[in-house]
Amino acid sequence: MMRTDIKQRPSFTAVCRNILSGRRFSDTGKITVALMLTLLCLLLFRVNSYANGLLPSSSDLTALAEETMAGQDTASSYGLPEGSAGVSSEAEESDRLGTRQHVYDAAGLLTGTEQSYLEESLSAISQRYAFDTVVATVSALEGEDIVAVADDFFDYGGFGYGENRDGILFLMSIGDRQWYISTSGYGYEVFTDSRLEYMEGIIVPYLSRGNYAGAFNNFATLCEETLEHGIDYGESDYTDYSYQEEERGMTPAKGGIAAAIGALFASLTGAGLKRQLKSVKQKNTASDYIRPGSFNLYDTKDIFLYDNVTRVRRPKQQPSSGGRSSHHSGGFGGHSTTHRSSSGRTHGGRGGGF
Amino acid sequence: MSAVQEFKCPSCGGTMVFNSSQQKLVCEYCGTEMDVSAAEELSGEDMSVRPDSMDWEALGGSAWREGEKPRIRIITCASCGGELMTDENTAATSCPFCGNKVVIKDQVEGTLRPDYVIPFKLDKEQAKEAYRNHLKGKFLLPKSFASGNHVDEMKGIYVPFWVFDTDANADFRYKARRENSWIQGDYIYTRISHYSLVRRGSIGFSHVPVDASKDMPDTLMQSLEPYDFGQAVDFNTAYLAGYLADRYDIGMEESSEKANARIRQSTENAIDATATGYMGIQRVQGNIQLFNAKAKYVLYPVWLLNTTWQGKTYTFAMNGQTGKFVGDLPSDNKKFFLTEALVAIGAAAAALAVMFFL
């Protein structure tokens, strides 16, 4: 009779049992696995929140802007005058601009409620100060310069009140993790370099934490305060109001951290209890048997061999304004750096990564 | 001074040559560099590289004395082949390793007489008590484990050891560096200074034990350490009365390798600890010479208990001199998993609560 040896493969349950009993993994191995699982959970949460409305990119934004323009054309074909025509009454213009959108969330980062809340406040600010305040998000810039994309969106989208197209646009690309504030008309007078720098300091931490609604709400409030106080506005009494309400309650990040803490405690407890059962250990040294006082270091020499001196240039502080060709543009409160966009209009602004 | 002088590399002992483009001496073998001034300082040094020398002189074991042989009884286990030695008056018992019957064999030939013995200081009752204490307070230990085993099977057995005495002489070399940086003008300067460290020292070891019985797992015996050799006495057959003694079946040569490894590790630790005050310290060369290296053949007292639970054998051992009790215990996996899950949920909930109110 033939005898065949079949190699026994461990069954799935046996492997699970081994893993649970720690036979396959050392204690540190288990901790690592737990932490990795937690990170994976965190990642999934984040991807999930991005995926909510994913996908449009800067080309979609152009489409959006074109759509807006088309709407405007329709408006003008209905007899509503162009902004610079000079014949428009103020009331007519604010009608035209008052009904249009101020939030273009092409990257889908905001929930419906967040979006309508933001739209409401931006629209109110825009009408009250006759100054377009706009927020736009894209999922990717597709290699284009964020400054150009922002300026063109503002110019060709037909934003801005009056002859000078007064307004401000906050553009953010989630894929590139970049943001840019483009100012136009009265905007680059009142949003001075130092003011924009101050705004950056408040807004960017929200972006970095992934709290986009918080960033945009702060942007709106900062705009309102700047416009309220005019160009000589000081930077002292702004209160960062949305932090508290935004960060309270349950967020995916908190869930992840809690899971990580849970996994860590569990593996530490488990490892501790397992260690109680183990008392047989290998000894690799003979330190128990060193004759007391027998260690005698009778010769030590530290011999210098050679030196090697290298030098690197000290990093310089980068100038912090986003201007391309800059010139001083007046105002009493400070300096604004401006540049020219593809449509030939002048914009101010500031941007960066997060 | 001779016209041609040879400089030895402080790292590897190779010959160093002057490199004109670097204006330094460079080792052709390992790439170590040094300034000419350092070479002069080193020229008086003995930089030769010696191999380790870790040989032992066996004092261990001698021939049986006149009149001793008739009093020694050799017994073998028919089942596992274990060979044991006992006193003529001790009744035949079961094998301490596998529990089967043992057979008495009469000749003592071919065996060595132990040099020393540490007599049992703790009796069977104390060993049983230590076993019960060993099982206490172990949360994950399955409940059924304790009830199933036969604590009366606890056996006192003399385990053969080779013990090694020596002085180790170490000659180690390290390469190391120091770094400092400063700012001058538009530049950050970093100076890296390279050093060769020499550390020579000696260290004495007494009675490093290596278990000489194949029946005894090495790690189990190492876990029972240390024994206090100060209480060892010259061997006398009388100490075997009522106890079994395992016979050595691992020779001194083979055992000495295990002792050497431990002695080497301890010597390295001791010498390495004196090379301080630098960055990137790395041992490049080192040899250990043993002096006065002597091995002895001794018997150490061990209480041994073998027990089977769910088809698996668990071995427990107690140091018959100090009472140190060792032996790995099984784990209740269901209990383990439940505990981990509960702790994880509890800690996560607590963390969430804290974060929610912050």
Side-chain angles (χ1 to χ4, degrees):
Chain A
M1 212 166 111
M2 279 266 291
R3 246 187 66 191
T4 42
D5 283 324
I6 300 159
K7 249 194 192 151
Q8 281 264 310
R9 283 188 58 187
S11 70
F12 177 70
T13 45
V15 171
C16 288
R17 223 178 300 126
N18 277 343
I19 290 171
L20 289 177
S21 67
R23 251 170 271 161
R24 280 286 157 88
F25 293 102
S26 63
D27 293 341
T28 35
K30 275 192 290 177
I31 292 172
T32 319
V33 168
L35 285 177
M36 272 164 60
L37 280 175
T38 317
L39 283 175
L40 197 71
C41 287
L42 264 172
L43 214 69
L44 283 175
F45 269 126
R46 281 202 85 122
V47 168
N48 202 23
S49 55
Y50 285 153
N52 276 339
L54 220 127
L55 324 303
S57 53
S58 71
S59 52
D60 300 286
L61 190 65
T62 321
L64 261 176
E66 274 160 8
E67 210 175 280
T68 333
M69 279 198 287
Q72 203 179 310
D73 289 345
T74 331
S76 55
S77 71
Y78 274 106
L80 291 171
E82 285 290 317
S84 58
V87 285
S88 62
S89 74
E90 220 173 83
E92 276 172 332
E93 194 191 62
S94 72
D95 266 359
R96 172 178 73 81
L97 293 166
T99 51
R100 58 182 299 180
Q101 218 178 320
H102 296 85
V103 180
Y104 296 87
D105 185 22
L109 301 176
L110 301 174
T111 65
T113 338
E114 286 168 347
Q115 198 168 334
S116 53
Y117 175 77
L118 183 61
E119 180 63 52
E120 212 170 281
S121 45
L122 289 179
S123 154
I125 295 164
S126 300
Q127 287 185 52
R128 187 154 149 223
Y129 298 99
F131 186 90
D132 248 348
T133 45
V134 183
V135 166
T137 66
V138 291
S139 55
L141 292 167
E142 294 172 346
E144 288 183 67
D145 181 18
I146 192 162
V147 181
V149 173
D151 291 349
D152 290 351
F153 181 68
F154 191 91
D155 291 344
Y156 298 118
F159 296 99
Y161 278 76
E163 198 180 344
N164 295 325
R165 311 283 291 270
D166 300 333
I168 187 167
L169 166 74
F170 186 109
L171 175 69
M172 188 194 85
S173 165
I174 185 69
D176 307 86
R177 298 193 72 78
Q178 280 187 34
W179 61 276
Y180 189 76
I181 294 174
S182 177
T183 57
S184 171
Y186 178 61
Y188 61 74
E189 287 179 30
V190 71
F191 290 92
T192 58
D193 286 351
S194 63
R195 182 64 187 163
L196 287 172
E197 190 181 341
Y198 173 70
M199 287 168 69
E200 173 179 357
I202 291 171
I203 295 167
V204 172
Y206 283 92
L207 294 179
S208 306
R209 283 199 299 269
N211 182 354
Y212 306 114
F216 302 148
N217 287 332
N218 271 290
F219 170 72
T221 316
L222 285 158
C223 285
E224 190 176 8
E225 299 225 357
T226 313
L227 294 164
E228 180 66 36
H229 289 78
I231 44 183
D232 55 353
Y233 175 63
E235 286 145 13
S236 51
D237 56 352
Y238 174 73
T239 42
D240 189 0
Y241 75 95
S242 62
Y243 180 80
Q244 300 282 323
E245 54 186 314
E246 286 302 324
E247 291 296 303
R248 239 169 217 269
M250 176 72 183
T251 64
K254 284 181 181 179
I257 292 168
I261 291 173
L264 186 71
F265 270 79
S267 57
L268 287 178
T269 316
L273 291 173
K274 281 270 184 190
R275 208 175 305 119
Q276 287 187 336
L277 302 175
K278 181 122 183 84
S279 55
V280 175
K281 288 179 202 86
Q282 191 174 346
K283 285 212 172 155
N284 296 318
T285 71
S287 50
D288 288 332
Y289 305 99
I290 294 175
R291 263 201 307 281
S294 72
F295 182 50
N296 172 24
L297 190 70
Y298 56 80
D299 188 13
T300 75
K301 281 195 182 68
D302 295 9
I303 302 153
F304 168 75
L305 296 179
Y306 66 101
D307 262 348
N308 206 350
V309 179
T310 54
R311 64 172 198 182
V312 288
R313 197 174 264 284
R314 289 167 69 183
K316 283 245 164 65
Q317 199 77 43
Q318 289 293 314
S320 54
S321 62
R324 278 183 276 183
S325 68
S326 359
H327 71 271
H328 185 84
S329 75
F332 314 99
H335 175 268
S336 291
T337 311
T338 59
H339 59 266
R340 217 161 267 284
S341 71
S342 69
S343 68
R345 300 196 58 85
T346 303
H347 286 270
R350 185 181 184 83
F354 59 92
Chain B
M1 228 170 116
S2 60
V4 180
Q5 193 176 356
E6 208 177 55
F7 288 105
K8 293 263 194 227
C9 169
S11 299
C12 73
T15 306
M16 301 195 85
V17 293
F18 186 74
N19 181 311
S20 56
S21 62
Q22 291 186 58
Q23 292 290 306
K24 275 178 190 145
L25 287 164
V26 177
C27 173
E28 292 177 300
Y29 304 96
C30 69
T32 298
E33 299 169 29
M34 64 170 143
D35 285 343
V36 175
S37 57
E40 270 169 29
E41 193 185 334
L42 273 172
S43 61
E45 279 293 311
D46 173 19
M47 280 299 156
S48 57
V49 174
R50 277 186 292 181
D52 284 342
S53 136
M54 299 185 85
D55 293 329
W56 297 85
E57 177 193 327
L59 167 86
S62 51
W64 293 99
R65 286 176 195 160
E66 206 50 49
E68 272 180 344
K69 278 189 190 175
R71 280 185 268 139
I72 298 291
R73 191 155 284 172
I74 299 293
I75 52 182
T76 56
C77 172
S79 173
C80 71
E83 285 215 328
L84 301 143
M85 188 164 63
T86 189
D87 151 83
E88 58 179 334
N89 303 317
T90 306
T93 53
S94 56
C95 171
F97 308 118
C98 66
N100 285 300
K101 281 271 167 266
V102 292
V103 183
I104 294 176
K105 232 172 80 177
D106 264 330
Q107 72 269 43
V108 192
E109 311 309 331
T111 66
L112 287 175
R113 179 183 187 275
D115 301 310
Y116 297 95
V117 57
I118 295 179
F120 274 94
K121 303 283 174 201
L122 299 164
D123 62 23
K124 189 170 180 172
E125 281 314 308
Q126 287 166 306
K128 281 154 75 173
E129 183 60 30
Y131 174 71
R132 283 184 214 105
N133 286 335
H134 186 64
L135 301 188
K136 267 186 203 154
K138 305 283 196 289
F139 180 73
L140 290 179
L141 182 70
K143 289 265 177 292
S144 61
F145 182 77
S147 55
N149 41 83
H150 313 283
V151 67
D152 280 329
E153 296 296 307
M154 186 87 69
K155 289 224 159 43
I157 173 163
Y158 282 109
V159 177
F161 278 82
W162 291 105
V163 297
F164 298 89
D165 289 355
T166 190
D167 287 307
N169 202 353
D171 179 353
F172 284 6
R173 280 161 230 174
Y174 305 82
K175 64 178 183 190
R177 61 174 202 274
R178 270 183 187 153
E179 289 183 20
N180 70 326
S181 333
W182 66 97
I183 291 167
Q184 193 180 321
D186 282 343
Y187 291 94
I188 299 168
Y189 289 80
T190 308
R191 183 204 307 279
I192 301 176
S193 308
H194 297 264
Y195 291 84
S196 176
L197 313 181
V198 178
R199 295 288 181 272
R200 295 190 176 108
S202 65
I203 185 163
F205 295 88
S206 291
H207 318 301
V208 181
V210 177
D211 134 47
S213 164
K214 283 183 181 143
D215 301 315
M216 297 291 177
D218 284 352
T219 50
L220 187 72
M221 290 301 110
Q222 285 167 9
S223 305
L224 290 177
E225 291 180 23
Y227 281 90
D228 176 11
F229 197 83
Q231 292 178 327
V233 294
D234 285 341
F235 177 77
N236 186 322
T237 52
Y239 290 111
L240 290 181
Y243 294 100
L244 297 165
D246 199 6
R247 285 177 54 189
Y248 87 91
D249 46 12
I250 302 173
M252 192 275 283
E253 288 292 327
E254 196 181 338
S255 296
S256 72
E257 284 162 30
K258 291 172 192 166
N260 285 351
R262 292 176 65 177
I263 287 168
R264 168 185 294 281
Q265 190 61 53
S266 282
T267 307
E268 286 176 355
N269 291 351
I271 303 275
D272 286 355
T274 67
T276 52
Y278 294 87
M279 294 169 71
I281 299 171
Q282 198 186 332
R283 182 164 2 98
V284 289
Q285 220 282 300
N287 64 77
I288 294 173
Q289 321 282 327
L290 298 185
F291 293 96
N292 309 319
K294 287 196 178 84
K296 296 182 194 108
Y297 174 31
V298 302
L299 297 177
Y300 281 170
V302 174
W303 283 101
L304 202 66
L305 175 68
N306 277 304
T307 183
T308 312
W309 184 74
Q310 295 192 351
K312 214 175 155 241
T313 305
Y314 293 85
T315 305
F316 300 93
M318 187 178 91
N319 182 321
Q321 180 189 28
T322 65
K324 186 175 182 186
F325 200 101
V326 299
D328 290 344
L329 292 163
S331 156
D332 185 333
N333 288 329
K334 204 189 279 174
K335 212 166 170 183
F336 175 72
F337 177 63
L338 269 174
T339 315
E340 286 223 318
L342 282 176
V343 170
I345 291 165
L352 264 186
V354 167
M355 280 191 286
F356 187 83
F357 290 111
L358 269 184

